[in-house]
Amino acid sequence: LDADCCALPLIQASTHPRALPTGTAVGHDNAQVNNDVAPFVRQKNSGAALTARLAMGRHTLTSITGWRRFDNDSDVDLDDTQAQLITRNFNIESSRTFSQELRLASPAGGVFDYLLGAYYFDGSVHNALDRRGLNIGATSRIDPDGNVVPRVPGDQAVLAGHSDVDSRNAALFGQANWRPREPLTLTAGLRLLRERQRLGFVRPLDGRFNGADQPATNPAFGPVTGHYRDSAAIGRLSASYAFTPVITGYVAWGTGYKSEGLAATLGLTAAQFAQLPAPAETSDMIEAGLKTTLFDNALMLNLTGFRTRIDDYQAQTYSAASGLFVLTSAGGVAIDGVELEFTARPHAYFSISGGVTWLDARFDGVGNGPCYPGQTLAQGCMPVASGGAFVQDLDGKPIMNAPRWRTTLGARYDAPLTARTDLYLQLDYRWQDTVLFDISQNPVMTQRAYGISDATAGLIFADGRIELGLFVHNLADRRYAANIMAVSTAGGANAYAQQLPADFRRQAGVSLRMDF
């Protein structure tokens, strides 16, 4: 991949008195930027996998070997303006992973069957950053052509450094199914895992983006190395019962685990390093549902209810002080929800499908969440007794990227046009409720509810091996953001930008699919 990516259109311009006019429209409909750095992304992604199966009597031994490599170089205009503030933000990311899994499966379909396995993972991630420039507060003047005059003559800050994270994970797992009577299946599973992680970090220079005469925004730190070990046991129990040949109910309980968190961004401080690792994220889930196939397969209807509780939830939050994202162990999260999905075929040539999800995802017992920029005491931003910090009570407030309601609806018409050619028409619609993009509950970083409709028409021929289609995405030209983020550190106070999805505007095109 070699792309001119990525730029972030402003939805709210800086209120700093030295900020230049944006030169573009500003708001949620904005898709234009006026930057002084040409962005780019150069990316290589490769991998291989080998699956081998060996019959051992009535048992089957399966081996799955995987290898992946990822390399990414990029630069963007971090201050998101035409002012020459942050003139370089060159970032390197690379990763290497190897995995090996062995599974032994017994014959299936009897009263009792099982699967036993072992898993090994070895991965490494390298990140490096070279950022140069100044924050707007370190300037005495910004000329109309974007030239920056530093408050300290000749001043230019540098944030440079790199981090390396190596991870090794080994696990033993097993699952068994027992059918004591014909309609009932009981399932139990267990996974035992052990993980080792190593973090190496260095930031050799002070970053003084507020000016050489001000305290360092990112003091020099390292080189340091941390070694971390953890182990866990996670399990699952479930029962399913076939009430009739077309109606099955089930209930399941399970636990989950996410590795201990390592803050490997270039904003890592000595205090944060001393507190690493962030506790492993653990979860407890209960789920129950009905799966049905009715009216001679003309209607599939599934209903699911679930309850999840997460401890030591790991989140990323933007730090306006450093201009970097910071790993936060937010505390507890409570998730309750109901999901309904269906597929109906009222005619041989016509089908309709869709679903609706209700989700109540909220913070649980989190009394020391971060405040958002400009949040006042009346809005819930409270001073901590010592240290001069400010926090807010997030208990009961929604978590990020979790809309309360989400619906999908699709209709498709398939019919033979000739003896060897089929015609299809498809309409799709999706709608989701308001969503927050930041843990701080910043109202500016909120996407209001929106709905998107798509249409496709095409031909399928050559025994289904070739499909030629015409499509229109976002028929109603509905504008929405895939993400909203603060860009205030370099470009000025209270500036926010949005990340645009591929279908931010109505788009039409032609697609060709060929199977060989």
Side-chain angles (χ1 to χ4, degrees):
L1 173 69
D2 190 348
D4 297 331
C5 174
C6 298
L8 300 173
L10 290 168
I11 63 170
Q12 182 170 302
S14 170
T15 57
H16 196 284
R18 282 195 292 276
L20 293 177
T22 62
T24 68
V26 174
H28 290 278
D29 289 341
N30 180 29
Q32 301 296 319
V33 296
N34 188 16
N35 295 347
D36 64 292
V37 175
F40 68 84
V41 169
R42 295 190 294 263
Q43 192 176 103
K44 295 180 180 179
N45 197 342
S46 57
L50 175 66
T51 301
R53 294 183 178 88
L54 175 66
M56 302 178 64
R58 299 184 62 199
H59 289 69
T60 301
L61 179 66
T62 301
S63 169
I64 303 174
T65 306
W67 171 84
R68 293 206 69 86
R69 172 175 176 170
F70 174 79
D71 296 285
N72 183 90
D73 300 344
S74 64
D75 196 356
V76 296
D77 191 324
L78 190 67
D79 60 75
D80 203 49
T81 73
Q82 69 273 33
Q84 297 160 17
L85 292 165
I86 302 301
T87 57
R88 177 181 173 90
N89 190 58
F90 184 64
N91 186 74
I92 296 174
E93 179 185 356
S94 63
S95 65
R96 310 286 186 270
T97 63
F98 169 81
S99 62
Q100 175 63 54
E101 182 174 337
L102 292 173
R103 298 198 305 247
L104 179 67
S106 70
V111 174
F112 182 79
D113 61 67
Y114 62 87
L115 181 146
L116 301 174
Y119 177 80
Y120 176 77
F121 173 89
D122 189 345
S124 63
V125 177
H126 171 77
N127 279 282
L129 178 66
D130 185 338
R131 178 182 298 173
R132 300 168 187 264
L134 295 171
N135 292 343
I136 196 170
T139 67
S140 61
R141 186 180 78 247
I142 301 178
D143 296 332
D145 63 356
N147 178 60
V148 167
V149 179
R151 187 179 61 245
V152 178
D155 193 10
Q156 185 187 54
V158 177
L159 175 61
H162 67 265
S163 66
D164 293 280
V165 177
D166 299 320
S167 302
R168 293 184 178 180
N169 183 298
L172 298 174
F173 60 89
Q175 180 169 300
N177 298 309
W178 179 39
R179 303 171 184 85
R181 48 183 298 189
E182 183 64 29
L184 177 65
T185 300
L186 304 176
T187 301
L190 179 66
R191 187 182 189 94
L192 305 175
L193 63 91
R194 182 179 294 273
E195 186 165 61
R196 294 184 179 184
Q197 296 189 89
R198 184 192 72 86
L199 169 64
F201 181 87
V202 61
R203 186 173 54 244
L205 303 172
D206 285 343
R208 298 182 178 274
F209 287 85
N210 289 334
D213 57 347
Q214 297 295 313
T217 51
N218 303 98
F221 177 51
V224 292
T225 303
H227 295 271
Y228 314 97
R229 295 185 179 184
D230 195 24
S231 59
I234 56 178
R236 178 178 173 84
L237 297 172
S238 68
S240 65
Y241 191 87
F243 297 101
T244 72
V246 296
I247 300 177
T248 299
Y250 72 94
V251 60
W253 167 86
T255 60
Y257 169 88
K258 183 179 179 181
S259 302
E260 293 177 327
L262 300 183
T265 68
L266 263 293
L268 183 65
T269 66
Q272 292 169 344
F273 179 78
Q275 296 175 356
L276 291 179
E281 183 180 301
T282 58
S283 61
D284 190 291
M285 179 273 296
I286 298 175
E287 180 179 335
L290 283 173
K291 296 182 180 292
T292 68
T293 305
L294 308 173
F295 308 118
D296 197 21
N297 295 325
L299 175 64
M300 182 276 290
L301 188 64
N302 296 336
L303 178 65
T304 304
F306 52 89
R307 176 187 184 274
T308 302
R309 296 296 181 264
I310 300 175
D311 292 324
D312 298 315
Y313 178 73
Q314 297 173 9
Q316 295 279 350
T317 186
Y318 181 77
S319 169
S322 66
L324 295 164
F325 284 90
V326 178
L327 175 67
T328 301
S329 184
V333 168
I335 303 174
D336 301 298
V338 178
E339 185 175 58
L340 175 69
E341 59 179 349
F342 74 94
T343 299
R345 185 173 290 276
H347 188 274
Y349 296 160
F350 179 70
S351 63
I352 183 170
S353 61
V356 57
T357 300
W358 172 81
L359 189 69
D360 182 15
R362 61 200 182 276
F363 290 104
D364 186 17
V366 181
N368 59 344
C371 298
Y372 58 83
Q375 186 176 5
T376 65
L377 182 66
Q379 293 169 323
C381 187
M382 308 290 293
V384 179
S386 60
F390 289 81
V391 299
Q392 65 168 313
D393 186 2
L394 295 178
D395 190 33
K397 295 183 178 180
I399 67 171
M400 302 76 70
N401 293 303
R404 177 64 63 96
W405 289 95
R406 178 178 290 165
T407 62
T408 61
L409 186 64
R412 184 178 175 101
Y413 176 80
D414 288 274
L417 192 62
T418 68
R420 301 191 60 187
T421 303
D422 292 337
L423 167 71
Y424 72 88
L425 302 171
Q426 183 165 334
L427 294 174
D428 295 289
Y429 179 77
R430 67 184 191 275
W431 180 91
Q432 73 168 41
D433 211 344
T434 300
V435 65
L436 288 167
F437 290 121
D438 189 73
I439 187 176
S440 70
Q441 312 290 302
N442 190 334
V444 180
M445 301 171 71
T446 301
Q447 171 59 57
R448 295 181 179 178
Y450 65 90
I452 302 294
S453 52
D454 303 324
T456 308
L459 300 173
I460 302 175
F461 45 94
D463 296 325
R465 298 194 310 274
I466 301 177
E467 178 181 320
L468 179 64
L470 301 173
F471 64 84
V472 180
H473 291 166
N474 196 352
L475 276 166
D477 202 25
R478 176 70 168 88
R479 312 294 170 83
Y480 71 101
N483 195 11
I484 297 174
M485 58 201 71
V487 291
S488 58
T489 301
N494 299 317
Y496 292 88
Q498 61 183 350
Q499 180 180 345
L500 304 186
D503 59 352
F504 178 72
R505 287 178 167 168
R506 182 191 301 115
Q507 57 180 227
V510 180
S511 64
L512 175 65
R513 181 183 60 82
M514 303 178 69
D515 292 339
F516 298 94

